[in-house]
Amino acid sequence: MMGDKEIYRQKAEAKLDEWKAELDKLKAQASHKSADVKQDVNHQIAALEAKLEEQKTKIAEIKEASGEAWDTLKDGMESAFDSMKSAFSDAKNKFKK
């Protein structure tokens, strides 16, 4: 039977894959925008890519964490996920221009 930590890690990896797919869509959409919008969006895309890399590292740390470290890491992941949702929302809004 899988523990909570492993289930959480799998869910986090699935969310990461979802965000990677969304990021690929944004990149494709950016190529059809004006130079000004493209520059702004590409900046946001770069920031999102950096956040995704951060999340990958944190997910890897989950495997090694135990006890209090796991609880702290989980809280940090929740906060980071909220930040990612907000960043994707902002990027998508740029495309509506």
Side-chain angles (χ1 to χ4, degrees):
M1 185 174 131
M2 280 191 282
D4 289 345
K5 185 170 73 168
E6 183 60 19
I7 291 168
Y8 186 85
R9 187 188 63 77
Q10 288 180 357
K11 285 182 180 179
E13 285 179 346
K15 192 66 185 164
L16 209 58
D17 290 342
E18 222 177 275
W19 281 330
K20 284 181 201 168
E22 271 191 66
L23 193 56
D24 288 342
K25 281 189 221 170
L26 289 177
K27 286 178 183 178
Q29 290 173 350
S31 67
H32 303 293
K33 296 293 179 182
S34 69
D36 287 347
V37 174
K38 196 182 294 188
Q39 182 179 1
D40 193 23
V41 169
N42 283 337
H43 176 71
Q44 282 193 302
I45 287 172
L48 286 169
E49 286 175 328
K51 284 180 184 269
L52 283 174
E53 284 304 312
E54 249 177 64
Q55 293 305 315
K56 265 195 229 175
T57 302
K58 286 184 181 188
I59 290 170
E61 289 172 3
I62 288 174
K63 290 179 186 177
E64 308 302 320
S66 62
E68 285 182 34
W70 154 237
D71 289 335
T72 302
L73 201 53
K74 185 177 177 185
D75 290 344
M77 289 287 292
E78 295 298 327
S79 174
F81 278 172
D82 289 344
S83 174
M84 285 293 291
K85 278 191 248 179
S86 176
F88 268 105
S89 179
D90 290 348
K92 287 178 184 177
N93 286 334
K94 296 279 184 195
F95 283 102
K96 294 178 181 171
K97 290 182 179 178

